Amino acid sequence: MTEHVIFRYDPDHQPQITFRGVASGCAGGMNTLTEARASYRTCLSVRLHVDRRALPPVVEHIEGLVSGMWVRTKVGAVHRDKSSERMLLQILLAEQTGLRDEVARLSSAGAEPVVVLVEPDQILGTLLDQMSARDALLAVHSDDNGSVGWNVLYGTDSIGAQDVPRVSDDSAFRAMSLSGFTQTCTGGRVVLRGSAAGLAS
């Protein structure tokens, strides 16, 4: 199994860094990333009944507020547009077509949408594995033409997912590229997890 952990940085709250593990359910908070990492790994070790040296692979993600939007990226990832060499986040902040409106719509409905920066050729399964049932994730990638492609994935218990088509979390869907998803599944999808992979709460 591969575990995903999301560290959220919010300097206006205490603790400043909170974390939650998907699918372990480990959660907590500390005031530095180093402390949060240590606390998370201790929690995961206890949860799995293994020594810390025997923990499964862990993929780390960090979230922060950027221009009023929660933005998540994989720790160490660099996302840039090949045609312009601009950073994806720069393009996203200049983007005026729809994405900010969708974030505002979901927020006003009571959801807490998160913009997730991804690569266009990244497979959808890597995003599904960091989702909880209540998530509304806006997958955003460069279209390598100076703009962004984006679409929404909803968990089964997500606010704002009414009247959105449902899709099974099967091998074909998981293997789809993020660019394929944003181009072909307009309007987003609610992900129905199969018995092999339940959504974390």
Side-chain angles (χ1 to χ4, degrees):
M1 104 179 196
T2 297
E3 169 82 354
H4 290 258
V5 59
I6 295 110
F7 296 102
R8 172 171 282 195
Y9 174 63
D10 188 347
D12 294 330
H13 290 83
Q14 290 295 323
Q16 292 186 348
I17 297 178
T18 56
F19 64 83
R20 62 182 177 92
V22 181
S24 69
C26 286
M30 292 287 172
N31 279 322
T32 70
L33 185 56
T34 299
E35 292 171 340
R37 278 180 168 140
S39 179
Y40 160 72
R41 290 184 178 274
T42 297
C43 175
L44 187 59
S45 177
V46 171
R47 186 70 52 97
L48 299 179
H49 308 289
V50 298
D51 184 88
R52 288 180 59 158
R53 290 168 295 194
L55 289 175
V58 175
V59 181
E60 296 183 337
H61 308 268
I62 190 119
E63 288 180 355
L65 271 176
V66 180
S67 294
M69 300 181 293
W70 285 106
V71 177
R72 178 189 303 172
T73 189
K74 180 180 171 184
V75 172
V78 177
H79 305 283
R80 69 172 70 239
D81 179 78
K82 291 178 183 175
S83 67
S84 65
E85 284 301 306
R86 292 172 66 203
M87 298 299 291
L88 175 57
L89 188 57
Q90 290 177 300
I91 299 170
L92 167 64
L93 294 176
E95 187 76 15
Q96 299 297 321
T97 55
L99 187 139
R100 287 175 183 261
D101 292 339
E102 183 65 8
V103 169
R105 183 189 74 80
L106 288 167
S107 297
S108 64
E112 190 176 70
V114 176
V115 174
V116 185
L117 305 183
V118 296
E119 289 297 303
D121 59 353
Q122 188 175 324
I123 63 169
L124 201 48
T126 61
L127 193 57
L128 299 177
D129 289 343
Q130 54 183 283
M131 277 187 76
S132 79
R134 294 184 296 272
D135 279 342
L137 302 182
L138 290 87
V140 178
H141 61 80
S142 165
D143 67 2
D144 291 332
N145 194 28
S147 188
V148 297
W150 64 274
N151 210 336
V152 189
L153 280 171
Y154 299 93
T156 50
D157 298 333
S158 175
I159 295 172
Q162 297 78 10
D163 303 318
V164 176
R166 269 112 172 107
V167 65
S168 294
D169 177 20
D170 59 20
S171 57
F173 187 63
R174 293 180 66 83
M176 182 184 293
S177 70
L178 266 301
S179 61
F181 170 67
T182 59
Q183 291 166 13
T184 62
C185 297
T186 57
R189 290 294 184 272
V190 173
V191 182
L192 304 175
R193 298 317 265 289
S195 58
L199 277 174
S201 58

